[in-house]
Amino acid sequence: MIKVDSEKRIHISRGDAATLNITANGGEYEFQVGDVIKLRIYEKKKYDEPIVEITKTVETAATSVDLNITKEDTTIGEDINKPVTYWYEISLNETTTIIGYDEDGA
């Protein structure tokens, strides 16, 4: 199960695989062949070292890119019976943050 809400919070069950469809600049940016998209996941308020990093190199120019999340990527932390909050960011070519921490928080 995956759900992305209106505030760009991602809800996914531990051990589930999913695909995120990534766009930039409201869908107006066209990703170019060779662009690198990175999703980094951090423990809440520990923005120093990612616990998961998923990288995708764009192979075809397009306004959106599918980023695959494997079950291994979501099998983090200990087994739990309640939700855990992690922070994440998505960057383009290590120079532009598409989604991340801003003045409104994570």
mmCIF file of all heavy atoms in Angstrom, residues 47-77:
data_model
loop_
_atom_site.group_PDB
_atom_site.id
_atom_site.type_symbol
_atom_site.label_atom_id
_atom_site.label_comp_id
_atom_site.label_asym_id
_atom_site.label_seq_id
_atom_site.Cartn_x
_atom_site.Cartn_y
_atom_site.Cartn_z
ATOM 1 N N TYR A 47 18.910 14.722 9.989
ATOM 2 C CA TYR A 47 19.102 15.024 8.574
ATOM 3 C C TYR A 47 20.565 14.923 8.155
ATOM 4 O O TYR A 47 20.973 15.506 7.179
ATOM 5 C CB TYR A 47 18.557 16.439 8.321
ATOM 6 C CG TYR A 47 17.849 16.604 7.013
ATOM 7 C CD1 TYR A 47 16.792 15.797 6.653
ATOM 8 C CD2 TYR A 47 18.229 17.606 6.137
ATOM 9 C CE1 TYR A 47 16.132 15.965 5.466
ATOM 10 C CE2 TYR A 47 17.576 17.788 4.940
ATOM 11 C CZ TYR A 47 16.522 16.962 4.614
ATOM 12 O OH TYR A 47 15.861 17.131 3.431
ATOM 13 N N ASP A 48 21.367 14.201 8.915
ATOM 14 C CA ASP A 48 22.795 14.152 8.609
ATOM 15 C C ASP A 48 23.200 12.941 7.771
ATOM 16 O O ASP A 48 24.097 13.026 6.950
ATOM 17 C CB ASP A 48 23.628 14.198 9.893
ATOM 18 C CG ASP A 48 23.221 13.118 10.890
ATOM 19 O OD1 ASP A 48 22.141 12.529 10.747
ATOM 20 O OD2 ASP A 48 23.996 12.868 11.819
ATOM 21 N N GLU A 49 22.539 11.806 7.955
ATOM 22 C CA GLU A 49 22.938 10.577 7.269
ATOM 23 C C GLU A 49 21.682 9.825 6.806
ATOM 24 O O GLU A 49 20.873 9.402 7.625
ATOM 25 C CB GLU A 49 23.737 9.696 8.231
ATOM 26 C CG GLU A 49 24.208 8.403 7.654
ATOM 27 C CD GLU A 49 25.455 8.562 6.798
ATOM 28 O OE1 GLU A 49 26.212 9.520 7.025
ATOM 29 O OE2 GLU A 49 25.659 7.728 5.918
ATOM 30 N N PRO A 50 21.500 9.671 5.483
ATOM 31 C CA PRO A 50 20.312 8.937 5.023
ATOM 32 C C PRO A 50 20.382 7.463 5.411
ATOM 33 O O PRO A 50 21.458 6.872 5.430
ATOM 34 C CB PRO A 50 20.343 9.106 3.503
ATOM 35 C CG PRO A 50 21.751 9.451 3.166
ATOM 36 C CD PRO A 50 22.331 10.124 4.372
ATOM 37 N N ILE A 51 19.225 6.892 5.739
ATOM 38 C CA ILE A 51 19.181 5.471 6.043
ATOM 39 C C ILE A 51 18.811 4.658 4.800
ATOM 40 O O ILE A 51 19.043 3.455 4.765
ATOM 41 C CB ILE A 51 18.228 5.166 7.219
ATOM 42 C CG1 ILE A 51 16.825 5.693 6.947
ATOM 43 C CG2 ILE A 51 18.787 5.722 8.504
ATOM 44 C CD1 ILE A 51 15.803 5.311 7.998
ATOM 45 N N VAL A 52 18.240 5.334 3.805
ATOM 46 C CA VAL A 52 17.933 4.719 2.511
ATOM 47 C C VAL A 52 18.223 5.755 1.435
ATOM 48 O O VAL A 52 17.907 6.937 1.603
ATOM 49 C CB VAL A 52 16.455 4.279 2.412
ATOM 50 C CG1 VAL A 52 16.120 3.782 1.007
ATOM 51 C CG2 VAL A 52 16.118 3.225 3.441
ATOM 52 N N GLU A 53 18.832 5.308 0.344
ATOM 53 C CA GLU A 53 19.062 6.190 -0.801
ATOM 54 C C GLU A 53 18.729 5.413 -2.067
ATOM 55 O O GLU A 53 19.278 4.329 -2.292
ATOM 56 C CB GLU A 53 20.511 6.674 -0.841
ATOM 57 C CG GLU A 53 20.766 7.665 -1.960
ATOM 58 C CD GLU A 53 22.155 8.275 -1.891
ATOM 59 O OE1 GLU A 53 22.376 9.145 -1.038
ATOM 60 O OE2 GLU A 53 22.998 7.856 -2.686
ATOM 61 N N ILE A 54 17.817 5.958 -2.856
ATOM 62 C CA ILE A 54 17.393 5.322 -4.104
ATOM 63 C C ILE A 54 17.758 6.278 -5.238
ATOM 64 O O ILE A 54 17.395 7.445 -5.205
ATOM 65 C CB ILE A 54 15.882 5.048 -4.096
ATOM 66 C CG1 ILE A 54 15.514 4.161 -2.897
ATOM 67 C CG2 ILE A 54 15.448 4.414 -5.419
ATOM 68 C CD1 ILE A 54 14.034 4.100 -2.614
ATOM 69 N N THR A 55 18.482 5.759 -6.229
ATOM 70 C CA THR A 55 18.954 6.587 -7.339
ATOM 71 C C THR A 55 18.373 6.081 -8.648
ATOM 72 O O THR A 55 18.321 4.879 -8.882
ATOM 73 C CB THR A 55 20.493 6.546 -7.410
ATOM 74 O OG1 THR A 55 21.022 7.003 -6.159
ATOM 75 C CG2 THR A 55 21.021 7.431 -8.519
ATOM 76 N N LYS A 56 17.958 7.013 -9.486
ATOM 77 C CA LYS A 56 17.433 6.679 -10.817
ATOM 78 C C LYS A 56 18.085 7.613 -11.825
ATOM 79 O O LYS A 56 18.072 8.822 -11.665
ATOM 80 C CB LYS A 56 15.914 6.868 -10.834
ATOM 81 C CG LYS A 56 15.261 6.884 -12.191
ATOM 82 C CD LYS A 56 15.013 5.496 -12.692
ATOM 83 C CE LYS A 56 14.271 5.532 -14.021
ATOM 84 N NZ LYS A 56 13.486 4.354 -14.271
ATOM 85 N N THR A 57 18.688 7.046 -12.875
ATOM 86 C CA THR A 57 19.234 7.832 -13.972
ATOM 87 C C THR A 57 18.210 7.841 -15.098
ATOM 88 O O THR A 57 17.729 6.783 -15.523
ATOM 89 C CB THR A 57 20.569 7.246 -14.464
ATOM 90 O OG1 THR A 57 21.485 7.226 -13.357
ATOM 91 C CG2 THR A 57 21.162 8.078 -15.577
ATOM 92 N N VAL A 58 17.858 9.030 -15.568
ATOM 93 C CA VAL A 58 16.842 9.178 -16.610
ATOM 94 C C VAL A 58 17.384 8.626 -17.924
ATOM 95 O O VAL A 58 18.482 8.969 -18.346
ATOM 96 C CB VAL A 58 16.438 10.663 -16.757
ATOM 97 C CG1 VAL A 58 15.454 10.860 -17.896
ATOM 98 C CG2 VAL A 58 15.881 11.191 -15.435
ATOM 99 N N GLU A 59 16.595 7.776 -18.552
ATOM 100 C CA GLU A 59 17.001 7.151 -19.816
ATOM 101 C C GLU A 59 16.285 7.732 -21.024
ATOM 102 O O GLU A 59 16.758 7.598 -22.148
ATOM 103 C CB GLU A 59 16.756 5.641 -19.740
ATOM 104 C CG GLU A 59 17.592 4.973 -18.667
ATOM 105 C CD GLU A 59 17.273 3.504 -18.493
ATOM 106 O OE1 GLU A 59 16.362 2.986 -19.178
ATOM 107 O OE2 GLU A 59 17.945 2.863 -17.674
ATOM 108 N N THR A 60 15.141 8.381 -20.814
ATOM 109 C CA THR A 60 14.360 8.983 -21.885
ATOM 110 C C THR A 60 13.850 10.331 -21.415
ATOM 111 O O THR A 60 13.286 10.429 -20.312
ATOM 112 C CB THR A 60 13.149 8.086 -22.250
ATOM 113 O OG1 THR A 60 13.619 6.777 -22.553
ATOM 114 C CG2 THR A 60 12.387 8.635 -23.428
ATOM 115 N N ALA A 61 14.012 11.380 -22.214
ATOM 116 C CA ALA A 61 13.510 12.699 -21.850
ATOM 117 C C ALA A 61 12.000 12.636 -21.639
ATOM 118 O O ALA A 61 11.280 12.062 -22.461
ATOM 119 C CB ALA A 61 13.857 13.714 -22.923
ATOM 120 N N ALA A 62 11.533 13.194 -20.522
ATOM 121 C CA ALA A 62 10.109 13.172 -20.191
ATOM 122 C C ALA A 62 9.833 14.166 -19.071
ATOM 123 O O ALA A 62 10.750 14.591 -18.360
ATOM 124 C CB ALA A 62 9.683 11.770 -19.756
ATOM 125 N N THR A 63 8.567 14.511 -18.876
ATOM 126 C CA THR A 63 8.201 15.429 -17.799
ATOM 127 C C THR A 63 7.955 14.716 -16.474
ATOM 128 O O THR A 63 7.707 15.369 -15.464
ATOM 129 C CB THR A 63 6.939 16.239 -18.183
ATOM 130 O OG1 THR A 63 5.888 15.329 -18.483
ATOM 131 C CG2 THR A 63 7.227 17.148 -19.370
ATOM 132 N N SER A 64 8.008 13.383 -16.480
ATOM 133 C CA SER A 64 7.900 12.639 -15.227
ATOM 134 C C SER A 64 8.802 11.407 -15.291
ATOM 135 O O SER A 64 9.112 10.910 -16.374
ATOM 136 C CB SER A 64 6.452 12.211 -14.959
ATOM 137 O OG SER A 64 6.020 11.274 -15.909
ATOM 138 N N VAL A 65 9.213 10.970 -14.121
ATOM 139 C CA VAL A 65 10.113 9.817 -14.000
ATOM 140 C C VAL A 65 9.545 8.899 -12.922
ATOM 141 O O VAL A 65 9.149 9.362 -11.851
ATOM 142 C CB VAL A 65 11.543 10.268 -13.605
ATOM 143 C CG1 VAL A 65 12.433 9.074 -13.336
ATOM 144 C CG2 VAL A 65 12.130 11.166 -14.664
ATOM 145 N N ASP A 66 9.501 7.596 -13.199
ATOM 146 C CA ASP A 66 9.072 6.630 -12.200
ATOM 147 C C ASP A 66 10.273 6.197 -11.364
ATOM 148 O O ASP A 66 11.308 5.807 -11.893
ATOM 149 C CB ASP A 66 8.447 5.403 -12.866
ATOM 150 C CG ASP A 66 7.055 5.683 -13.405
ATOM 151 O OD1 ASP A 66 6.427 6.666 -12.949
ATOM 152 O OD2 ASP A 66 6.590 4.932 -14.278
ATOM 153 N N LEU A 67 10.115 6.287 -10.054
ATOM 154 C CA LEU A 67 11.155 5.894 -9.114
ATOM 155 C C LEU A 67 10.650 4.666 -8.364
ATOM 156 O O LEU A 67 9.634 4.732 -7.664
ATOM 157 C CB LEU A 67 11.438 7.036 -8.145
ATOM 158 C CG LEU A 67 12.627 6.918 -7.233
ATOM 159 C CD1 LEU A 67 13.925 6.871 -8.032
ATOM 160 C CD2 LEU A 67 12.667 8.092 -6.276
ATOM 161 N N ASN A 68 11.314 3.545 -8.550
ATOM 162 C CA ASN A 68 10.881 2.296 -7.941
ATOM 163 C C ASN A 68 11.448 2.142 -6.541
ATOM 164 O O ASN A 68 12.650 2.302 -6.331
ATOM 165 C CB ASN A 68 11.306 1.110 -8.806
ATOM 166 C CG ASN A 68 10.621 1.143 -10.154
ATOM 167 O OD1 ASN A 68 9.425 1.383 -10.256
ATOM 168 N ND2 ASN A 68 11.384 0.929 -11.203
ATOM 169 N N ILE A 69 10.563 1.816 -5.618
ATOM 170 C CA ILE A 69 10.938 1.564 -4.235
ATOM 171 C C ILE A 69 10.730 0.069 -4.001
ATOM 172 O O ILE A 69 9.626 -0.444 -4.204
ATOM 173 C CB ILE A 69 10.064 2.380 -3.268
ATOM 174 C CG1 ILE A 69 10.193 3.876 -3.574
ATOM 175 C CG2 ILE A 69 10.432 2.079 -1.822
ATOM 176 C CD1 ILE A 69 9.199 4.737 -2.816
ATOM 177 N N THR A 70 11.773 -0.620 -3.589
ATOM 178 C CA THR A 70 11.687 -2.060 -3.385
ATOM 179 C C THR A 70 11.258 -2.374 -1.956
ATOM 180 O O THR A 70 11.317 -1.518 -1.065
ATOM 181 C CB THR A 70 13.039 -2.747 -3.651
ATOM 182 O OG1 THR A 70 13.967 -2.328 -2.640
ATOM 183 C CG2 THR A 70 13.580 -2.407 -5.040
ATOM 184 N N LYS A 71 10.885 -3.635 -1.732
ATOM 185 C CA LYS A 71 10.519 -4.037 -0.368
ATOM 186 C C LYS A 71 11.721 -3.949 0.561
ATOM 187 O O LYS A 71 11.575 -3.672 1.745
ATOM 188 C CB LYS A 71 9.901 -5.429 -0.353
ATOM 189 C CG LYS A 71 10.827 -6.545 -0.727
ATOM 190 C CD LYS A 71 10.113 -7.880 -0.685
ATOM 191 C CE LYS A 71 11.091 -9.008 -0.928
ATOM 192 N NZ LYS A 71 10.453 -10.305 -0.752
ATOM 193 N N GLU A 72 12.929 -4.127 0.021
ATOM 194 C CA GLU A 72 14.138 -3.984 0.841
ATOM 195 C C GLU A 72 14.320 -2.533 1.282
ATOM 196 O O GLU A 72 14.800 -2.262 2.379
ATOM 197 C CB GLU A 72 15.375 -4.459 0.073
ATOM 198 C CG GLU A 72 15.438 -5.957 -0.157
ATOM 199 C CD GLU A 72 14.560 -6.445 -1.316
ATOM 200 O OE1 GLU A 72 14.158 -5.624 -2.174
ATOM 201 O OE2 GLU A 72 14.259 -7.644 -1.345
ATOM 202 N N ASP A 73 13.933 -1.582 0.412
ATOM 203 C CA ASP A 73 14.042 -0.161 0.748
ATOM 204 C C ASP A 73 13.120 0.219 1.905
ATOM 205 O O ASP A 73 13.441 1.111 2.685
ATOM 206 C CB ASP A 73 13.697 0.719 -0.458
ATOM 207 C CG ASP A 73 14.688 0.583 -1.602
ATOM 208 O OD1 ASP A 73 15.889 0.381 -1.339
ATOM 209 O OD2 ASP A 73 14.248 0.696 -2.774
ATOM 210 N N THR A 74 11.969 -0.452 2.005
ATOM 211 C CA THR A 74 11.002 -0.091 3.051
ATOM 212 C C THR A 74 11.092 -0.977 4.287
ATOM 213 O O THR A 74 10.341 -0.774 5.237
ATOM 214 C CB THR A 74 9.557 -0.135 2.504
ATOM 215 O OG1 THR A 74 9.233 -1.473 2.135
ATOM 216 C CG2 THR A 74 9.378 0.812 1.333
ATOM 217 N N THR A 75 11.993 -1.927 4.282
ATOM 218 C CA THR A 75 12.172 -2.781 5.459
ATOM 219 C C THR A 75 13.279 -2.171 6.314
ATOM 220 O O THR A 75 14.404 -2.651 6.354
ATOM 221 C CB THR A 75 12.503 -4.223 5.045
ATOM 222 O OG1 THR A 75 11.504 -4.676 4.133
ATOM 223 C CG2 THR A 75 12.510 -5.156 6.250
ATOM 224 N N ILE A 76 12.918 -1.077 6.954
ATOM 225 C CA ILE A 76 13.873 -0.351 7.793
ATOM 226 C C ILE A 76 13.345 -0.324 9.222
ATOM 227 O O ILE A 76 12.143 -0.442 9.456
ATOM 228 C CB ILE A 76 14.129 1.090 7.277
ATOM 229 C CG1 ILE A 76 12.818 1.861 7.107
ATOM 230 C CG2 ILE A 76 14.893 1.050 5.973
ATOM 231 C CD1 ILE A 76 12.973 3.281 6.632
ATOM 232 N N GLY A 77 14.230 -0.162 10.151
ATOM 233 C CA GLY A 77 13.829 -0.118 11.547
ATOM 234 C C GLY A 77 13.365 -1.471 12.040
ATOM 235 O O GLY A 77 13.472 -2.483 11.357
#
